[in-house]
Amino acid sequence: MKVVVVSAGLSSPSSTRLLADRLAAATLQHVDAETEVIELRELATEIAQHFVTGFPPARLAAALDAVAAADGLIVVTPVFAASYSGLFKSFFDLIDKDALTGKPVLLGATGGTARHSLVTEHALRPLFTYLRALVLPTAVYAASEDWGEEGLAQRIARAGAELARFTAPATLPGAGTAPDVDTAAAIAPRSPTGAITSVDPADGFVTVPFEQRLAALRVP
């Protein structure tokens, strides 16, 4: 089992990388997995070359393959102009359109002020929903004043547990052999037929008609 961490921080050391590392550590408290960190600043030249030539250099090709093969993703970007960074978006523009379908993705972002805290919902979540990823309910934003605060630690712990649940649900204490179907149905993208895409322990992703979901919610 493998969790891939994509960090778009530009400095070294980087608060973006620090948040990515803490999210990975929180996930590994609940699941036995191999982790790989992809630092996008080290691939900036290769990303630009790919856009110009149409062919990825070897290091970039390896990073794209790692993301496609991952059992779960942690993606963290600094905030630029109230959105994700251009480097972050450029990397995911190069991902195959089907590579993230159904893949659990934990979102994270860092910024200098709490005023950008909704960037995970207004920018990151729509991007990965478009890519048909299974975007987890808890996204973590860390402003400069959040570091060292209990609230950030709690959000990181909750997000890590969620990613662990969807990459290897049976490894969580008290978990059965099946994924959390109801939660998966609530956060998974809607299918082109207008039904809700859910998780089935035997068949993977299945389509559940709206009428069936609504009937289950009705009080007898």
Side-chain angles (χ1 to χ4, degrees), residues 22-40:
R22 289 187 61 181
L23 289 170
T27 303
L28 295 180
Q29 289 183 357
H30 301 279
V31 65
D32 183 14
E34 176 189 355
T35 59
E36 178 179 348
V37 179
I38 298 172
E39 283 276 13
L40 295 187

Side-chain angles (χ1 to χ4, degrees), residues 95-120:
I95 296 287
D96 183 88
K97 64 181 179 65
D98 297 319
L100 300 188
T101 300
K103 195 182 300 293
V105 177
L106 169 53
L107 307 177
T110 58
T113 172
R115 291 195 299 270
H116 293 306
S117 60
L118 289 178
V119 69
T120 55

Side-chain angles (χ1 to χ4, degrees), residues 9-220:
L10 296 179
S11 59
S12 182
S14 162
S15 61
T16 301
R17 175 61 188 271
L18 176 60
L19 178 58
D21 288 343
R22 289 187 61 181
L23 289 170
T27 303
L28 295 180
Q29 289 183 357
H30 301 279
V31 65
D32 183 14
E34 176 189 355
T35 59
E36 178 179 348
V37 179
I38 298 172
E39 283 276 13
L40 295 187
R41 68 186 182 88
E42 298 175 357
L43 297 172
T45 300
E46 285 92 335
I47 291 171
Q49 289 174 346
H50 190 354
F51 277 110
V52 173
T53 66
F55 298 96
R59 284 201 311 168
L60 177 58
L64 295 172
D65 289 344
V67 168
D71 295 292
L73 288 179
I74 298 171
V75 299
V76 188
T77 178
V79 173
F80 280 82
S83 186
Y84 37 65
S85 70
L87 181 61
F88 182 87
K89 180 59 162 59
S90 295
F91 178 75
F92 283 100
D93 280 345
L94 299 177
I95 296 287
D96 183 88
K97 64 181 179 65
D98 297 319
L100 300 188
T101 300
K103 195 182 300 293
V105 177
L106 169 53
L107 307 177
T110 58
T113 172
R115 291 195 299 270
H116 293 306
S117 60
L118 289 178
V119 69
T120 55
E121 308 306 315
H122 292 169
L124 287 169
R125 194 174 296 276
L127 170 63
F128 287 94
T129 298
Y130 171 78
L131 294 171
R132 299 191 297 278
L134 190 67
V135 187
L136 300 182
T138 300
V140 180
Y141 175 81
S144 297
E145 63 265 28
D146 289 331
W147 296 102
E149 296 295 326
E150 183 180 353
L152 177 60
Q154 291 174 344
R155 295 196 301 275
I156 289 172
R158 183 169 65 247
E162 287 176 359
L163 181 58
R165 180 184 307 136
F166 283 95
T167 52
T171 64
L172 285 174
T177 58
D180 186 341
V181 176
D182 290 336
T183 304
I187 67 177
R190 298 186 186 278
S191 76
T193 60
I196 294 177
T197 303
S198 182
V199 174
D200 181 85
D203 302 320
F205 284 86
V206 296
T207 300
V208 181
F210 284 132
E211 292 78 7
Q212 181 177 337
R213 297 292 299 180
L214 291 173
L217 296 174
R218 293 193 183 101
V219 178

